[in-house]
Amino acid sequence: MKTLDVSSADFLDMAESPSYNRLSFGGASVSFRAPVSRFASCPFEEGEIVKVVWRGKTLLIGPAIDLEHSLEGTSESWDIRIYDYWWNLKNIQYFVNGRANGIFAEYRQGTGGSGQEKQATANIRDALSGVLDHAISTALVPIKYDLRIDKDAEIIPFAYSSETYASLLSQIQQWRPNMAAWFEYGADDSATLVIADHAHLPDVVLDLSAVDVSALSLKARPDLVPPAVGLTCNASVISRVQRALAVYPSGASLSQPYVVTAEVDVPGGVKVSDTAGQYSPKETDSLGYDAPRMIVRGDKFPTGTAQWAARVKRWAPALEDCAGLEVAASPKITSITPADAEHRGYSSAAVTHELTSGQINGKSARIKWGRVRVDLRVRATDPPDTVKQYFPEYGGKSGTGDRWIGTLTFEVTTTNVGYASYRVDRAGTVESVSDDGGGPGDDETSGSYDTSALYKNFLFSITFPNSVST
C-alpha cells in the first residue's frame, strides 16, 4: 500500500489544486493535479489502495479512481482522485443471495387490540448489519464496522430492488436522519466504519492553543434536528393511487427547510386516510406489512431469423443503422456456468427468456435465473462504414451490392419466466407467473389504513422535543 503524505513539502511542491472533501454518508476523498514529465506514467494505478496522511494522522484509506491524463501544449499532467471505502459501498450492487427477507430478515409483526394487526418493524441495527455483513462477507469491502445506535431504534421495512450498499444505508438513514457515518483507522491500517445516532456522536472540542486562528466561524446544523416529519402512505385501489399524509408536529408545514419526509407503500387495495384529530386510533381489520414485491420480466428468445435480427440490434445498438441486417440461421445457444452461480436461484435450465428487469431472490422454487452464450452468423449488404468491423468476411455479390458476413457472440443473463411477481418473505410467495410478458389481473381487496394511528410512535422517534441552539 502506498502512503501519500499531503502535508509533506514534496507533495505541496508537486500538487496543484489539492482538495479534501468529507461527507457523512458520502465518504471522503482527496483530489489534486500532478504535473509530470512528457510521456511519464501516472504515480498511481487505477484501483490501487492508497493511505492518505496529514501530519501523521490518517485522513483516509481507499482506492485511486478515475485517473485522467491531460496534455495542454507542452504541459502534461494527471488528475488524481483517492476515495475512502465508501466508494466501494457506493459502486457495488447488493445481491440478496437467497436471504429470506434481505436486510429485514428480522422484522417483527406487531398486533393491536381487537385482533388489529399493525405495521411491521425492524431494528435499525439489524438492518445496518444486514447490509454491512453482506458487503464484508463478499470480500468486496475490506472494512469493520461499529454501530453506535440506540438498541431500541426501529425502522419500517421498505421495498427495494437492485440497490448499491451505500444507497441502502442512505435509505435507512432517512428513517433516523440524525445518524452520521465516518471511517476511523487503526494503527494496523484497518478501516472501521462508524455509524452513530445523536446520543452517541462525539463532542466537538476546539483546541485553539494548537492552531493559529485569526477568525473562527461556526455553522449551525439544523438538518440534524428536523423541525417536522411527514409520512406519505400510498395504496393502489382498482388502478387508482390513494395517498394520505401524517405530519408531526400536528399542523407543521412541510415546505420549510430541513424537514424529513418518507414514503411507504401499503398493501394493495387498501384505502388510506388521515383521521381528524391526529393520531386517534382506528381499527383496520387485518392489514400489517406486506413483504416487498419483486417483479421479474423476461423476453422469450425468438424463433425466427427476422426476430433474431431485431434482438441483435438491441444487444449491439451500433447495428441499428444497418438496414439490411440478417441472421443467416438459427443461433447456437449454449448454457454456461457464471462465476456467481453460487447465488441462490441459479439453474442451468433457466435459459428460455432473456432477463430484462427485476431481481431474483432465490427463495422461490419457481423463479430461476441462468446464463447463456449466443453465437450468431450475421450478414448485410453494403453495411455502413461505422459497422464494417462486424462483417470481416466477403460473401460475394448480392444484386447490385456486396454482401458481408460476420460472427457475433453475446453472453446473456436468462430466466425461466416471462413475468413473475413474488414476495421477499420467508417462503418466497409467488403471486403471479406467466410465460409471456403480461402482468397479473386485478386482485385488490378492501380495507382502510389510518396513517397517523399506525405511525405515531415512529414519527416521535425521529424528532426531538427541544430545538438545539449554538
Side-chain angles (χ1 to χ4, degrees), residues 77-237:
S77 63
W78 286 88
D79 287 325
I80 298 170
R81 287 171 287 273
I82 303 169
Y83 298 82
D84 64 14
Y85 286 119
W86 193 268
W87 188 91
N88 300 60
L89 295 169
K90 185 178 179 181
N91 288 275
I92 298 174
Q93 292 293 121
Y94 172 88
F95 196 97
V96 175
N97 196 24
R99 295 181 58 173
N101 297 285
I103 64 174
F104 302 120
E106 302 301 327
Y107 78 79
R108 296 172 295 281
Q109 185 76 53
T111 58
S114 303
Q116 174 183 346
E117 197 170 15
K118 291 191 175 183
Q119 180 75 26
T121 59
N123 186 280
I124 286 184
R125 292 175 61 95
D126 291 342
L128 292 171
S129 296
V131 177
L132 295 171
D133 285 343
H134 194 275
I136 294 169
S137 67
T138 57
L140 297 174
V141 189
I143 62 173
K144 298 181 290 185
Y145 64 87
D146 179 10
L147 303 181
R148 304 170 188 175
I149 309 293
D150 181 356
K151 63 182 179 62
D152 297 322
E154 293 189 323
I155 185 175
I156 298 171
F158 53 84
Y160 61 92
S161 183
S162 182
E163 305 277 1
T164 64
Y165 293 108
S167 67
L168 284 171
L169 294 176
S170 297
Q171 288 183 65
I172 295 172
Q173 185 208 21
Q174 290 178 354
W175 298 85
R176 196 170 183 82
N178 48 68
M179 290 196 304
W182 67 92
F183 280 98
E184 293 181 352
Y185 300 97
D188 58 352
D189 292 337
S190 61
T192 300
L193 176 62
V194 179
I195 301 179
D197 59 16
H198 65 282
H200 300 86
L201 292 175
D203 294 330
V204 175
V205 178
L206 295 176
D207 184 4
L208 300 185
S209 64
V211 184
D212 182 11
V213 177
S214 57
L216 179 64
S217 175
L218 297 179
K219 181 181 179 181
R221 291 296 304 273
D223 56 309
L224 296 180
V225 186
V229 176
L231 185 69
T232 304
C233 289
N234 303 322
S236 176
V237 182

Side-chain angles (χ1 to χ4, degrees), residues 327-399:
V327 174
S330 295
K332 179 182 178 182
I333 301 179
T334 307
S335 177
I336 59 178
T337 302
D340 54 351
E342 69 274 10
H343 287 306
R344 295 285 297 274
Y346 170 78
S347 170
S348 60
V351 295
T352 56
H353 299 70
E354 176 192 358
L355 179 62
T356 57
S357 66
Q359 188 177 26
I360 296 176
N361 175 268
K363 291 296 292 184
S364 170
R366 301 173 62 186
I367 307 169
K368 301 295 183 181
W369 68 278
R371 190 82 173 161
V372 299
R373 184 177 65 248
V374 182
D375 297 297
L376 307 102
R377 289 277 287 175
V378 294
R379 61 192 177 206
T381 302
D382 294 332
D385 292 341
T386 55
V387 296
K388 279 189 175 179
Q389 68 271 23
Y390 293 99
F391 307 95
E393 181 183 342
Y394 180 61
K397 286 288 184 180
S398 176

